[in-house]
């Protein structure tokens, strides 16, 4: 693992080129990186003392954050948010530990160079590597973004099996070397099942500490149920762009004209991060009023609204030519901040968490998106005061069945289910 330790004091005498240090690196000797414990690079001093620096007296204790898939598009948006203090706060120094692969290592070097060049005062340590048993040492947050995408001709079971192996190894690494209270957020798809696999391979870490990212789905749902008055055929919001014709939605959404997305609360995504997910309009509120009392068109809610949220990722890929990256990074930030910031009274947020002991009658031993609240200490509790009617229960059951099918597929030679996003 390659390590850079920073102070915010520039030292001309101790600088050397990061790129020249690795100019002779080839694929044949990348494996030797696993044996490197501390190798500095960059333009900052090797040692640091937070206490000794006047400007850091109000800072918190250094926090260690690991990110897998760190050379990918999502990470390209996320890492700079982490380093700037946008996620954990302006007084929270951070050590970033970036996990890549042999094929992505040169790109990972480039990411590290850009982070150095950005001169973030809060970024006190930066390390890169390809061995999770090395990268995950002592981490308090693990953001597992990297996963293998499906390739042409690949069987569905093959992809589940390959990613299962990746997340099994990462779970074992977390179990062996991470903080005993590490918070794990799985982003790589299929994220619910990957989170379950990771959790099962880390018996020394509380199951409650594992999350599958469904916050992007929640954000998409909030985006769909608000409207701003405009004079063209597009509806533009601050964090999302709803591209649709006004004449389809205007009558149904007229009661919300001028209401911004921050007036939408109590939004839940139930189930799998897939096309079986259930956007819950039954418990959602607009300006504190039940959404169904504001939007009195059940057909729109049950069909167009629900399908738009479920299919949003696939539509974006067709329009954009790739999967979402920037909005995913934003939703990761939202998910973390929901755990380290007290939940506003009466509200909640969505996260894919372990179902054992849940109050909703859901099947045990799967990772399922449910409504959560937090006191801001990194932990959460499931919300009990929610309404589940027959319509919602039936939809939830479909997502539940899909997750059990995925669970059965891991390690099987053949799987006859559709993967998330393929329905």
């Amino acid at each position: 693992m390659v390590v850079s330790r920073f102070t915010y004091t520039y030292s001309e005498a101790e600088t050397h080129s990061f790129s020249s240090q690795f100019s002779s690196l080839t694929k044949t000797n990348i494996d030797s990186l696993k044996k490197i414990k501390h190798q500095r690079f960059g333009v900052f001093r090797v040692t640091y003392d937070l206490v000794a620096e006047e400007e850091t007296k109000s800072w918190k204790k250094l926090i260690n954050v690991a990110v897998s898939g760190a050379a990918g598009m999502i990470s390209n948006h996320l890492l700079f948010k982490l380093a700037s203090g946008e996620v954990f706060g302006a007084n929270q120094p951070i050590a970033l530990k970036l996990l890549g692969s042999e094929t992505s290592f040169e790109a990972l070097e480039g990411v590290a160079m850009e982070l150095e060049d950005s001169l973030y005062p809060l970024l006190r340590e930066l390390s890169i590597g390809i061995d999770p048993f090395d990268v995950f040492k002592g981490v308090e947050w693990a953001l597992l973004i990297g996963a293998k995408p499906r390739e042409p001709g690949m069987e569905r079971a093959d992809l589940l099996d390959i990613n299962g192996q990746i997340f099994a190894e990462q779970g074992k690494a977390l179990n062996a070397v991470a903080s005993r209270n590490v918070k794990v957020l799985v982003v790589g798809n299929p994220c619910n099942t990957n989170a379950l696999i990771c959790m099962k391979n880390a018996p020394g870490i509380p199951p409650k500490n594992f999350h599958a990212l469904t916050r992007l789905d929640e954000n998409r749902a909030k985006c769909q149920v608000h409207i701003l008055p405009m004079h063209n055929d597009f509806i533009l919001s601050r964090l999302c762009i709803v591209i649709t014709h006004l004449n389809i939605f205007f009558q149904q959404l007229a009661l919300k004209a001028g209401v911004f997305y921050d007036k939408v609360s109590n939004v839940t995504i139930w189930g799998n991060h897939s096309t079986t997910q259930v956007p819950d309009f039954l418990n959602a509120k607009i300006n504190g009023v039940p959404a169904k009392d504001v939007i009195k068109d059940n057909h729109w809610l049950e069909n167009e609204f629900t399908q738009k949220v479920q299919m949003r990722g696939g539509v974006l890929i067709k329009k954009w030519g790739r999967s979402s990256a920037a909005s995913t990074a934003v939703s990761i930030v939202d998910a973390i901040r929901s755990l380290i910031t007290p939940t506003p009274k009466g509200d909640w947020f969505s996260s894919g968490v372990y179902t054992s002991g849940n109050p909703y009658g859901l099947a045990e031993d799967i990772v399922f998106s449910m409504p959560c609240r937090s006191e801001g200490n990194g932990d959460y509790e499931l919300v009990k005061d929610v309404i589940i009617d027959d319509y919602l229960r039936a939809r939830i059951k479909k997502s539940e069945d899909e997750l059990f099918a995925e669970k059965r597929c891991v390690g099987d030679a053949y799987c006859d289910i559709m993967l998330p996003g393929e329905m």
Side-chain angles (χ1 to χ4, degrees):
M1 183 167 64
V2 185
V3 177
S4 188
R5 296 179 184 273
F6 302 154
T7 62
Y8 199 48
T9 306
Y10 182 86
S11 175
E12 186 70 32
E14 294 185 18
T15 66
H16 57 88
S17 168
F18 171 78
S19 58
S20 64
Q21 183 178 349
F22 290 98
S23 60
S24 61
L25 189 64
T26 66
K27 286 187 176 181
T28 58
N29 62 18
I30 283 179
D31 285 341
S32 66
L33 290 171
K34 296 182 180 181
K35 300 177 182 179
I36 299 174
K37 297 302 180 184
H38 296 287
Q39 186 171 354
R40 72 183 190 246
F41 61 81
V43 297
F44 295 89
R45 286 185 180 176
V46 180
T47 60
Y48 63 90
D49 183 355
L50 299 183
V51 177
E53 296 186 41
E54 186 68 27
E55 66 268 29
T56 64
K57 284 184 176 179
S58 63
W59 283 4
K60 299 178 181 178
K61 181 182 177 182
L62 186 76
I63 189 172
N64 294 281
V65 179
V67 180
S68 75
M73 288 296 296
I74 296 172
S75 295
N76 191 45
H77 294 277
L78 175 66
L79 292 173
F80 298 88
K81 294 177 181 291
L82 290 166
S84 70
E86 180 181 338
V87 183
F88 290 100
N91 63 343
Q92 178 61 72
I94 188 171
L96 284 178
K97 301 174 180 291
L98 310 184
L99 179 65
S101 64
E102 290 188 11
T103 56
S104 70
F105 193 80
E106 284 192 3
L108 196 58
E109 291 175 7
V111 171
M113 292 169 69
E114 281 211 271
L115 283 165
E116 286 192 322
D117 293 346
S118 298
L119 304 181
Y120 290 114
L122 291 169
L123 182 56
R124 310 309 292 181
E125 183 174 331
L126 172 64
S127 58
I128 62 177
I130 61 175
D131 182 359
F133 285 87
D134 195 8
V135 174
F136 291 168
K137 286 181 179 177
V139 299
E140 293 139 294
W141 287 83
L143 312 178
L144 306 184
I145 298 173
K148 184 176 180 61
R150 189 179 180 191
E151 298 173 351
M154 182 182 288
E155 294 292 338
R156 300 177 183 91
D158 292 339
L159 183 59
L160 279 166
D161 189 45
I162 291 169
N163 280 326
Q165 293 176 43
I166 291 171
F167 285 89
E169 181 189 28
Q170 292 181 0
K172 291 173 183 176
L174 289 167
N175 193 62
V177 300
S179 163
R180 293 302 81 190
N181 196 35
V182 61
K183 309 300 185 206
V184 184
L185 178 61
V186 176
V187 181
N189 284 318
C191 62
N192 293 62
T193 297
N194 288 340
L196 182 68
I197 293 167
C198 189
M199 183 197 77
K200 291 293 186 179
N201 282 275
I205 299 170
K208 196 174 184 181
N209 288 19
F210 290 81
H211 297 257
L213 182 72
T214 57
R215 185 54 174 266
L216 178 57
D217 305 308
E218 177 184 326
N219 288 353
R220 286 168 172 168
K222 287 181 177 179
C223 177
Q224 292 296 322
V225 297
H226 87 275
I227 184 170
L228 294 177
M230 296 184 69
H231 299 292
N232 55 37
D233 285 341
F234 298 100
I235 303 168
L236 181 64
S237 72
R238 181 167 44 179
L239 286 180
C240 49
I241 301 176
V242 185
I243 303 177
T244 186
H245 293 288
L246 282 176
N247 59 2
I248 298 177
F249 294 102
F250 196 81
Q251 280 189 319
Q252 293 87 351
L253 299 178
L255 290 173
K256 297 191 304 298
V259 175
F260 206 48
Y261 74 92
D262 59 357
K263 302 301 181 184
V264 181
S265 65
N266 303 88
V267 174
T268 307
I269 299 295
W270 296 91
N272 199 5
H273 176 62
S274 76
T275 55
T276 67
Q277 66 179 261
V278 186
D280 180 359
F281 52 81
L282 181 63
N283 291 284
K285 294 180 181 179
I286 300 169
N287 269 328
V289 179
K292 289 190 70 173
D293 291 345
V294 178
I295 307 172
K296 299 186 178 182
D297 187 339
N298 278 346
H299 182 270
W300 182 84
L301 288 169
E302 294 179 2
N303 294 279
E304 291 187 44
F305 165 70
T306 297
Q307 291 170 14
K308 271 188 169 291
V309 177
Q310 290 173 334
M311 304 301 295
R312 183 74 163 180
V315 172
L316 189 145
I317 290 172
K318 290 180 181 179
K319 298 284 187 181
W320 194 217
R322 59 169 174 77
S323 59
S324 56
S327 58
T328 301
V330 168
S331 70
I332 294 170
V333 173
D334 291 341
I336 295 171
R337 291 196 60 79
S338 289
L339 291 169
I340 63 174
T341 306
T343 307
K345 186 177 180 180
D347 202 0
W348 57 70
F349 59 91
S350 302
S351 189
V353 294
Y354 197 44
T355 55
S356 290
N358 76 87
Y360 314 115
L362 300 174
E364 305 278 302
D365 203 33
I366 53 176
V367 171
F368 203 84
S369 185
M370 296 179 281
C372 306
R373 289 192 182 109
S374 177
E375 295 181 357
N377 57 2
D379 204 350
Y380 69 92
E381 62 178 14
L382 294 176
V383 178
K384 296 179 180 178
D385 50 333
V386 295
I387 302 169
I388 301 180
D389 62 8
D390 291 342
Y391 167 84
L392 192 56
R393 179 72 66 185
R395 294 295 184 98
I396 287 173
K397 183 64 167 59
K398 289 181 180 179
S399 201
E400 188 179 82
D401 290 344
E402 182 184 52
L403 281 167
F404 271 105
E406 281 187 19
K407 183 179 176 183
R408 289 193 300 270
C409 281
V410 177
D412 286 351
Y414 175 73
C415 178
D416 60 357
I417 67 163
M418 301 293 280
L419 280 180
E422 295 182 329
M423 297 296 187

